[in-house]
Amino acid sequence: MARPRTFDETAVLEAAAAQFRVHGYADTSTEQLCEAADVRRSSLYNAFTSKDELFVRALEHYAATMRGHQASILADTSLSGAERLRKLVTAIVDEERVARGEGHAAGCMGVHTLMNPDLRARDERIGRILDRDLQERLGLLEDTIRAGRVDGSVPEGPDAGEGALLVNTLIAGLRVTAQTGVTPEVLHRIALAGLRSLLA
């Protein structure tokens, strides 16, 4: 008979994702994961069997959570399409501002994983999670750009799909640039400058 779990699985996934997004898979130890989640190693492995399994589950949780945060901004019909895009990149920079106050960059579990092709090759679920996440986020961005063209805040220009890729690339670039120590103030100026090519 399986032993009852003495911890909140969602809380463990959130704690694990918080470690993986900052440090990546290779530089996150089991000891870090246990300390962050406040669980014993035996409890962790009873629930998730291995670090690899925990990583996959944490990635899925992280992607869904972050996508949900972005969707709440991009689906806000009280704002124009352009305002939603600006609010999105501002939210990303605000995350970096909070993380900088804690002594590190916010990081991104998706970007870390994409930059490590060995992880994707290790487990086909990782590729499926990343591909689905990208397509859904691009879809949200495309819808926002189209909405902005309807309300007049986003001028006609490149295909909405290309515009979505531009914004997604800008966000990934902000995550990587924050790792180099660039201040949130500079990141915000870079973000708004990057959006100008779409909104001008």
Side-chain angles (χ1 to χ4, degrees):
M1 182 174 178
R3 295 171 59 187
R5 292 181 184 170
T6 59
F7 61 91
D8 181 336
E9 184 173 298
T10 299
V12 172
L13 291 174
E14 289 174 354
Q19 294 299 307
F20 286 129
R21 71 178 292 185
V22 172
H23 305 292
Y25 176 86
D27 291 330
T28 300
S29 68
T30 301
E31 289 70 25
Q32 283 175 275
L33 293 168
C34 291
E35 182 177 350
D38 193 25
V39 296
R40 297 189 305 271
R41 179 189 290 257
S42 59
S43 297
L44 194 70
Y45 287 146
N46 281 341
F48 299 104
T49 70
S50 68
K51 178 183 172 183
D52 284 2
E53 183 65 22
L54 176 57
F55 180 84
V56 172
R57 295 279 303 284
L59 177 63
E60 186 172 38
H61 179 79
Y62 173 83
T65 301
M66 297 302 290
R67 195 166 60 246
H69 291 332
Q70 293 188 12
S72 68
I73 295 171
L74 296 177
D76 184 354
T77 56
S78 70
L79 302 175
S80 71
E83 287 171 333
R84 294 178 223 176
L85 294 173
R86 292 191 189 98
K87 185 174 180 179
L88 175 62
V89 297
T90 297
I92 298 295
V93 173
D94 285 344
E95 262 200 317
E96 294 297 343
R97 182 175 287 107
V98 170
R100 185 179 176 89
E102 297 170 351
H104 57 82
C108 177
M109 197 172 177
V111 171
H112 268 301
T113 307
L114 283 166
M115 293 174 67
N116 188 342
D118 289 344
L119 283 175
R120 191 177 181 122
R122 177 181 297 182
D123 191 319
E124 63 181 12
R125 291 176 297 172
I126 291 175
R128 288 201 300 268
I129 292 167
L130 292 174
D131 291 344
R132 177 187 172 194
D133 181 57
L134 177 61
Q135 292 310 309
E136 292 194 12
R137 285 187 296 102
L138 289 176
L140 289 166
L141 290 167
E142 286 184 41
D143 289 345
T144 302
I145 291 168
R146 292 191 186 100
R149 286 179 175 160
V150 170
D151 66 36
S153 65
V154 179
E156 293 296 330
D159 175 78
E162 293 181 7
L165 282 169
L166 184 152
V167 177
N168 187 68
T169 301
L170 174 61
I171 290 171
L174 290 173
R175 294 299 197 192
V176 173
T177 303
Q179 299 272 1
T180 69
V182 172
T183 67
E185 292 71 26
V186 173
L187 289 175
H188 198 222
R189 290 199 294 273
I190 292 169
L192 295 181
L195 282 181
R196 261 182 230 122
S197 62
L198 180 65
L199 303 180

